[in-house]
Amino acid sequence: MKRFLLILLSLLCVMSLVMGTVSCEKPDGPEQPEQPEQPDDPVMMIDIVKDGKTDYRIVRRDAATGNDAGRMSAIKLKQAIKAATGCDIELTTDWTPDEDGKAYEILVGKVDRPAHEQIPKDLAKDEFVILFVENKILIDGGSENAITKGVNYFIKEYLGYDEEKDTYAKTVLAIPEALNLREHFEYPPDIYIIRDVKGVNGFTNNEDYNDIVRLYTALQGRLNKNAKENGFYIYQMYDKTDTFWLDYISGTGKMLEGSDRIDIKTWNELWSLLGTYIQEAGIVVWDPNAPATSNVAATICSVEGYLPVRFDADADSLYTWLTNQGVEIKFNLCGMFTGELGTTIADTDIPSTGSIKCDPYLWAMEKYMDHTNPAMLAYALDGASQIETNSIYKKAENITPAYNQLYSHDYYIYNECFFIDLTCIEDERPCDDPNQPMGTDAKTLKTILSTMEERNNGKMSKLMGFPPWYMKYTTFLGHGKTEPVALEWAFVSLITEYNFIKEADAAQPAWMTNASVYCQYTPTVKSYDNNDSPLEEVFEENVRYFTVYIGDYDSSAWLKEMVPDCFTSPERGKIPLMWAFNPNLSDRVPMIFDYVYENKTELDYFITGDSGAGYVMPTMLKDMDLWLDYNRPYLDKFDMDIVGFIINKKPLTMRELAAYAEISPYGSFHNDGSKYLTIYNDETVYMNMYDIYPSNAGWQDAMYNWMKKNGTNFAAFRTIRLYTPQLTSMIQEIIEYANAKNDGYTYKYVDMYTLFDLVLQSGQGNYVYSD
């Protein structure tokens, strides 16, 4: 009102200039009081449910089945009305007649009623409407997801639903008489699901299969970085765990709730949906005569986005098909590297190492390393095991894209990694480059590790992957003199010196699908609360106590594969189970940690796997404080205070005992071969752990003898990749087996917290103290 008076006064001033009759000065006298704003017309509300009663019914489409959005939303609406108002409103289908159109109804979805003609015909998939037309309330949307959003909005707005508290603020359902709502919402990205597309001309040979998987997995890593902007994620359906985890992250309140799924089953379908992106990216061609260039091509893809493709002039090859479609060759690595001593590496001043395998990595270091992720390195098989004429391919037990680790590339490319495949063994020439000067692989590997450490300013970095012992470098296929486990330990010892933690996707599976999707999952668990207190158990001298470590989960690939079956087993929750999940895997598969904490029982305990938050050899660490600082956020987040397995080749020193007592105060198990039972500062227990394999003959005797001969009343056993029924059966069987020996002891299984508490009660072990 005040604004109106000022405008009127201004108009009078203007008129006075024209007519000469009115002064522009403010009139004398007191200032007029400001007039109150007039209220808007009151909203007329119509009671739909009051005093627990209603004349309305909910109607859904009769043809709806299963997870149809209209059907599920109608059920949800009925449940919400009952919870808020106490009214058990009728739910029916449009098969129920409404002959004169006068029935009071809430129509959910595309219901066969004349009133549904009021729904706008141009609804987009990210729009819903809620209308009140005479005696009908209509809720519908431009997609299945939109119907769900519309009902959720209705429940929140008109029943006062608080999702966080799971409560309703209203006991009456009333709506505006003139309700006519059309709302837009952020529609979740679609999911393009690639299902076993093996070749451009169908499945012809293994080289084609590997080529096409390499291409679309690289594309997946690149495009998933911008999934929200693109409006879709690329997802691969390799096995049943891919279905399990996609369903989980698409659940209520989860990342992909309501996303539409579009299947891609043939190359033509893939090209139709994604061909534009392939043409836009272009390709980098790698040289089958220098298999290391496949990893260089992957590095280039990480930086430039060019998609890696093997050179193959055959008429039906992927390379030929793409170039015939006009896909541009952005970079060609063919013929660039010879490995001839006395020459320089292509387009550099770097002297050749004498290795056609190592020269490409040094070239890539100079050209691309500074543009790659300084905190993550990808250890992935190169192309040797994908080329039929190569000796590595010829000896391989399996040469599918899985065994060639191609499915892991999406995550590595998503994270813009530098790719390598080199052995750390210095005193033999590698099987995939037998003519190189002795130790060249190891020297090149150290150069890369040292450069990466410098780039990351000495902080802890991740090495993704594992020495491919099942394909190269070891005695397994006659490819060397080094045993597989010896290679693993030598490799981890080396990378630990350079502040690398290994995320150990070891065989098998040595690969993991879809991490470029999973790593973008936003956790919904607000607090990860662990079970972490010992039972009130009193030590008895005639009892031998044992516990079981459930590992080894220092690998996201193993965790993704095992958890669905382990955590859906009805055997879980019957006895204490100590799940050894390295918490830094939550960077790559965060949804798994949500799932296990949401579904844990009172007898599920979460501890770390190999060496703590991640896999290192602790005695090789240069800076223990740096390692502890890396561990604390992960262990704090997941409420973990036991390091289940300190893996180390050498005996732990007082430095390691003191450090681990900080992050694992109850105790830890180890394999360092030193004294069986050590107690640090009267508080923290360190105990050797014995590996047990129930599939081996005589495993009962092995467990029994370890408990009998170790000189204490306590034992711990390490299992690897056992399902829940196997675990519970093994534990029950060994208890019965050992007790049947009648050796004067009773054998009892306990959780780790209780075991450590009993050790302290017993006074057994070798006591050591800090300075």
Side-chain angles (χ1 to χ4, degrees):
M1 183 63 75
K2 183 176 181 181
R3 183 181 175 197
F4 173 75
L5 291 173
L6 291 173
I7 293 173
L8 180 60
L9 183 59
S10 299
L11 288 172
L12 291 172
C13 288
V14 172
M15 290 175 63
S16 69
L17 290 174
V18 178
M19 299 173 62
T21 59
V22 180
S23 170
C24 280
E25 295 182 4
K26 185 177 180 180
D28 295 334
E31 185 174 333
Q32 296 298 312
E34 184 176 344
Q35 298 297 315
E37 292 187 9
Q38 296 299 315
D40 294 333
D41 292 336
V43 176
M44 297 297 296
M45 302 296 288
I46 303 296
D47 289 335
I48 305 300
V49 180
K50 188 175 182 180
D51 298 329
K53 298 178 181 179
T54 186
D55 293 326
Y56 278 79
R57 64 189 182 195
I58 300 172
V59 181
R60 66 172 177 85
R61 189 171 51 139
D62 183 69
T65 58
N67 291 325
D68 177 274
R71 175 180 178 273
M72 300 305 295
S73 295
I75 293 171
K76 183 175 183 178
L77 180 57
K78 173 182 171 65
Q79 293 170 340
I81 291 173
K82 176 72 180 292
T85 69
C87 175
D88 191 11
I89 189 170
E90 179 187 359
L91 171 58
T92 186
T93 74
D94 56 11
W95 181 258
T96 302
D98 177 25
E99 294 176 356
D100 57 6
K102 293 184 178 179
Y104 291 91
E105 295 177 328
I106 304 175
L107 309 181
V108 179
K110 293 165 179 57
V111 176
D112 185 13
R113 291 283 193 266
H116 193 269
E117 293 299 317
Q118 301 294 322
I119 298 294
K121 299 296 187 294
D122 61 343
L123 282 180
K125 69 178 184 178
D126 57 355
E127 288 184 303
F128 64 84
V129 291
I130 305 176
L131 308 177
F132 183 48
V133 182
E134 296 181 354
N135 52 346
K136 304 281 195 262
I137 301 170
L138 295 87
I139 307 174
D140 200 2
S143 62
E144 297 276 290
N145 192 29
I147 296 171
T148 302
K149 291 287 185 182
V151 169
N152 289 344
Y153 179 95
F154 187 87
I155 292 170
K156 181 178 180 181
E157 185 72 16
Y158 301 116
L159 291 172
Y161 180 63
D162 186 322
E163 184 176 6
E164 187 172 331
K165 297 178 181 176
D166 193 23
T167 59
Y168 297 87
K170 300 178 181 179
T171 59
V172 172
L173 172 57
I175 63 169
E177 183 181 35
L179 178 58
N180 187 346
L181 179 75
R182 182 169 179 168
E183 282 286 317
H184 169 87
F185 63 95
E186 184 177 348
Y187 198 85
D190 292 333
I191 307 167
Y192 291 166
I193 301 178
I194 299 176
R195 296 184 183 271
D196 206 26
V197 177
K198 291 184 174 179
V200 296
N201 301 301
F203 179 49
T204 53
N205 58 49
N206 287 303
E207 287 183 307
D208 288 345
Y209 190 14
N210 282 286
D211 287 343
I212 196 165
V213 172
R214 182 187 292 274
L215 175 84
Y216 65 62
T217 304
L219 181 68
Q220 178 185 24
R222 291 295 302 186
L223 292 184
N224 281 351
K225 288 177 71 72
N226 301 302
K228 292 183 180 178
E229 293 84 351
N230 295 335
F232 62 86
Y233 285 94
I234 298 177
Y235 194 88
Q236 296 193 45
M237 204 59 77
Y238 173 77
D239 61 26
K240 66 179 183 179
T241 69
D242 293 310
T243 301
F244 181 93
W245 292 115
L246 179 57
D247 287 345
Y248 177 72
I249 64 176
S250 301
T252 302
K254 302 296 184 182
M255 164 186 165
L256 295 178
E257 179 185 4
S259 289
D260 293 331
R261 300 181 183 186
I262 297 95
D263 279 353
I264 298 175
K265 298 179 181 179
T266 67
W267 172 258
N268 286 340
E269 289 175 348
L270 187 145
W271 183 255
S272 174
L273 285 171
L274 301 173
T276 300
Y277 297 95
I278 295 172
Q279 288 179 315
E280 195 174 279
I283 60 175
V284 50
V285 183
W286 61 274
D287 186 352
N289 296 313
T293 59
S294 67
N295 272 344
V296 172
T299 296
I300 293 173
C301 183
S302 289
V303 176
E304 305 284 6
Y306 313 153
L307 302 175
V309 175
R310 175 179 62 93
F311 175 77
D312 183 353
D314 288 352
D316 59 353
S317 72
L318 176 64
Y319 169 84
T320 299
W321 196 95
L322 291 172
T323 53
N324 284 344
Q325 299 301 312
V327 177
E328 182 181 355
I329 298 173
K330 297 285 185 73
F331 204 102
N332 194 337
L333 296 165
C334 291
M336 284 183 61
F337 306 101
T338 63
E340 293 183 18
L341 285 171
T343 65
T344 57
I345 298 172
D347 195 26
T348 74
D349 296 325
I350 304 170
S352 171
T353 62
S355 167
I356 196 172
K357 177 184 178 186
C358 294
D359 282 1
Y361 290 120
L362 296 182
W363 177 86
M365 281 185 67
E366 175 161 300
K367 302 297 182 180
Y368 287 101
M369 179 171 272
D370 284 345
H371 304 287
T372 61
N373 190 332
M376 188 180 291
L377 188 62
Y379 194 119
L381 273 164
D382 67 19
S385 53
Q386 297 152 53
I387 301 164
E388 289 183 356
T389 57
N390 193 285
S391 62
I392 304 302
Y393 180 103
K394 291 177 180 179
K395 276 194 174 185
E397 290 187 335
N398 191 315
I399 37 70
T400 60
Y403 275 68
N404 285 318
Q405 304 174 340
L406 296 179
Y407 293 119
S408 298
H409 286 205
D410 77 307
Y411 184 68
Y412 305 159
I413 289 171
Y414 175 93
N415 280 286
E416 301 176 1
C417 285
F418 192 95
F419 282 65
I420 61 167
D421 173 5
L422 297 158
T423 181
C424 63
I425 304 301
E426 299 186 48
D427 62 351
E428 65 175 326
R429 292 179 176 86
C431 55
D432 56 345
D433 189 22
N435 297 318
Q436 70 172 229
M438 184 74 76
T440 303
D441 252 37
K443 182 179 179 181
T444 305
L445 175 60
K446 290 178 182 178
T447 299
I448 291 170
L449 293 173
S450 176
T451 304
M452 288 288 292
E453 181 185 27
E454 184 178 342
R455 290 184 65 223
N456 201 29
N457 300 314
K459 294 183 291 187
M460 303 304 300
S461 301
K462 272 190 179 182
L463 184 139
M464 309 297 299
F466 200 89
W469 60 264
Y470 64 94
M471 194 75 80
K472 292 182 177 183
Y473 308 136
T474 72
T475 58
F476 181 69
L477 293 176
H479 278 313
K481 65 183 182 182
T482 306
E483 295 289 338
V485 174
L487 175 64
E488 172 190 347
W489 287 7
F491 186 80
V492 180
S493 293
L494 174 65
I495 68 170
T496 301
E497 292 185 61
Y498 294 93
N499 287 336
F500 271 93
I501 304 150
K502 183 169 70 170
E503 185 168 327
D505 285 349
Q508 293 298 356
W511 63 86
M512 200 187 88
T513 46
N514 300 313
S516 63
V517 178
Y518 301 145
C519 68
Q520 299 184 64
Y521 170 84
T522 301
T524 58
V525 173
K526 293 183 172 57
S527 177
Y528 298 93
D529 298 319
N530 202 354
N531 297 316
D532 59 2
S533 59
L535 301 175
E536 294 181 3
E537 188 92 20
V538 177
F539 172 71
E540 298 179 50
E541 291 187 0
N542 65 341
V543 177
R544 284 188 172 134
Y545 304 92
F546 72 99
T547 195
V548 173
Y549 163 100
I550 305 171
D552 268 347
Y553 297 107
D554 53 3
S555 160
S556 291
W558 287 20
L559 194 63
K560 170 181 178 273
E561 180 182 67
M562 296 293 290
V563 162
D565 282 335
C566 285
F567 270 70
T568 55
S569 169
E571 293 298 306
R572 192 171 56 88
K574 293 183 178 180
I575 61 173
L577 295 174
M578 312 298 295
W579 303 98
F581 298 162
N582 271 10
N584 72 348
L585 303 184
S586 62
D587 296 341
R588 191 174 175 195
V589 286
M591 77 292 181
I592 297 181
F593 287 80
D594 267 20
Y595 176 79
V596 297
Y597 275 82
E598 285 173 348
N599 291 282
K600 71 178 175 64
T601 71
E602 292 182 355
L603 294 177
D604 289 311
Y605 299 81
F606 299 112
I607 60 176
T608 83
D610 292 2
S611 297
Y615 183 6
V616 298
M617 290 279 183
T619 55
M620 305 304 293
L621 288 163
K622 291 182 288 192
D623 186 340
M624 188 59 73
D625 287 337
L626 184 68
W627 174 237
L628 294 180
D629 288 343
Y630 180 84
N631 275 262
R632 287 188 183 99
Y634 288 109
L635 272 65
D636 288 347
K637 178 177 181 178
F638 295 108
D639 194 21
M640 294 180 178
D641 46 23
I642 289 180
V643 172
F645 185 20
I646 304 173
I647 186 169
N648 212 71
K649 289 200 315 180
K650 301 177 181 178
L652 301 173
T653 69
M654 289 294 288
R655 181 186 80 142
E656 287 78 53
L657 297 182
Y660 277 94
E662 290 189 34
I663 59 173
S664 183
Y666 291 93
S668 297
F669 301 100
H670 60 85
N671 71 333
D672 72 5
S674 61
K675 290 184 172 156
Y676 177 76
L677 182 60
T678 298
I679 289 76
Y680 176 79
N681 276 2
D682 294 322
E683 295 175 336
T684 306
V685 179
Y686 294 92
M687 185 185 299
N688 273 123
M689 187 161 56
Y690 186 82
D691 292 353
I692 197 71
Y693 303 95
S695 60
N696 291 354
W699 67 268
Q700 299 96 331
D701 275 336
M703 287 186 77
Y704 173 72
N705 289 333
W706 180 255
M707 290 189 279
K708 183 180 177 182
K709 296 178 180 179
N710 67 50
T712 76
N713 287 66
F714 307 100
F717 298 95
R718 171 175 169 248
T719 62
I720 303 173
R721 286 173 52 85
L722 291 186
Y723 291 103
T724 307
Q726 295 173 296
L727 290 161
T728 55
S729 176
M730 180 196 79
I731 290 165
Q732 185 60 39
E733 189 171 338
I734 191 59
I735 291 172
E736 294 173 0
Y737 182 87
N739 283 332
K741 295 289 186 180
N742 294 317
D743 59 5
Y745 285 89
T746 299
Y747 291 80
K748 189 170 186 178
Y749 169 75
V750 295
D751 66 87
M752 291 183 182
Y753 291 97
T754 301
L755 185 81
F756 291 143
D757 186 60
L758 289 166
V759 168
L760 297 179
Q761 289 183 43
S762 74
Q764 296 177 12
N766 173 50
Y767 281 72
V768 298
Y769 299 90
S770 59
D771 296 334

